[in-house]
Amino acid sequence: MEQTMERAGNFLPRVDDAAGSPNAVDRRLVSLTAPASSAAEQYRSLYYRLERMRELRPLKVVGITSAMPGEGKTVTSVNLALVAARANPDRRILLIDADLRRGQVSGVLGIKSRPGLADLLAGECEVRDLVRRFQATRMAVITAGPTPEEPTQALASAKMKQFLKVVREHFDEVYVDLPPTLPFADSAILGHQTDGLLMVVRANVTPAQAVNQAVEQLAGAPILGCVLNGAEMSDTPYMKNYMRNK
């Protein structure tokens, strides 16, 4: 795996041939589709908060999860990775879809779903077959691939641990889209192998009790904080005043 990852690290000439149509990209990827929007600015703010944390501690592998499905963790993961790729063209940025139950990264990016991480863990391909560059960005992507019979077992395997270890050595920043925390044990397993976790919380939807339960289930994993998703920026006093004075 070490040798194939080294080859995969030279991903820059390899643009995914299914990622050429702008219409295939989910419009919620505002970092790409609406970079001047206030929503895109919030993702940039989130990224630079992580950068400040990196000055104080190692933060190469960042996991993104949520308490329940449907809270926006995948859109957050992809937007964050896209911002990272634009902010630091000299760094190698990798986005991994580790939600082997319902991987959505390929769908929001409009790229092929296979081969993916599940294929690698099943021994059906090598790392160099997985890594692809998204459009003209500096972001490399590994999709989830097909749902295995035992997703938790696959993610808890020695092969997955080896994969994350090698990834650390060949990329500067790694963003991992994890499954939701409460329904499955997957995030608790992988969370302890990251340098930090972000918990996505949907505004006015996610009960505080669910967030607390998710934090307890992660059992000591390095949680960096929560990302409030779906909030109306104009609801804050600052944004109201700003928009009124424009």
Side-chain angles (χ1 to χ4, degrees):
M1 186 178 291
E2 178 75 31
Q3 293 177 344
T4 58
M5 176 57 82
E6 187 172 354
R7 295 179 201 171
N10 188 24
F11 66 89
L12 291 178
R14 301 172 52 206
V15 180
D16 190 286
D17 57 10
S21 172
N23 295 328
V25 176
D26 194 305
R27 301 304 298 175
R28 293 174 296 173
L29 298 186
V30 291
S31 300
L32 188 67
T33 62
S37 66
S38 59
E41 187 63 30
Q42 293 305 304
Y43 286 114
R44 285 190 286 271
S45 295
L46 174 61
Y47 176 72
Y48 284 110
R49 288 186 183 184
L50 292 177
E51 282 288 88
R52 289 195 292 273
M53 290 183 182
R54 288 189 175 99
E55 296 174 0
L56 303 174
R57 56 183 286 188
L59 203 59
K60 179 173 281 192
V61 179
V62 176
I64 299 93
T65 186
S66 60
M68 299 295 296
E71 298 191 59
K73 66 177 182 61
T74 297
V75 171
T76 299
S77 301
V78 181
N79 272 301
L80 188 57
L82 285 168
V83 166
R86 289 193 170 188
N88 294 290
D90 58 329
R91 296 184 191 175
R92 292 182 179 269
I93 310 298
L94 176 63
L95 171 65
I96 302 173
D97 191 344
D99 190 343
L100 300 189
R101 300 171 186 274
R102 193 186 174 195
Q104 299 183 68
V105 167
S106 60
V108 298
L109 286 174
I111 62 177
K112 296 176 181 178
S113 61
R114 299 191 67 174
L117 179 59
D119 296 297
L120 173 72
L121 298 179
E124 296 177 1
C125 67
E126 296 184 354
V127 176
R128 66 169 178 264
D129 302 318
L130 303 183
V131 180
R132 67 195 82 173
R133 178 166 63 107
F134 177 68
Q135 293 186 1
T137 70
R138 294 277 302 187
M139 182 180 76
V141 183
I142 293 179
T143 60
T147 302
E149 291 185 6
E150 297 289 345
T152 302
Q153 183 176 337
L155 293 175
S157 66
K159 198 163 192 175
M160 182 66 187
K161 291 179 180 178
Q162 182 190 10
F163 167 71
L164 287 177
K165 180 179 180 293
V166 174
V167 157
R168 283 179 176 275
E169 298 171 359
H170 290 85
F171 287 89
D172 301 302
E173 297 176 34
V174 181
Y175 297 91
V176 187
D177 182 22
L178 299 171
T181 299
L182 288 182
F184 315 110
D186 305 5
S187 288
I189 292 170
L190 291 181
H192 289 80
Q193 299 179 53
T194 69
D195 298 318
L197 286 176
L198 293 174
M199 176 77 67
V200 178
V201 178
R202 182 167 290 278
N204 303 314
V205 174
T206 311
Q209 182 180 3
V211 177
N212 291 333
Q213 290 175 344
V215 171
E216 290 178 2
Q217 187 160 316
L218 289 170
I223 299 176
L224 301 172
C226 292
V227 178
L228 187 63
N229 186 39
E232 291 293 334
M233 289 300 299
S234 58
D235 287 345
T236 66
Y238 173 80
M239 288 303 295
K240 285 182 179 178
N241 292 333
Y242 180 81
M243 296 304 293
R244 187 183 299 120
N245 295 324
K246 281 191 71 175

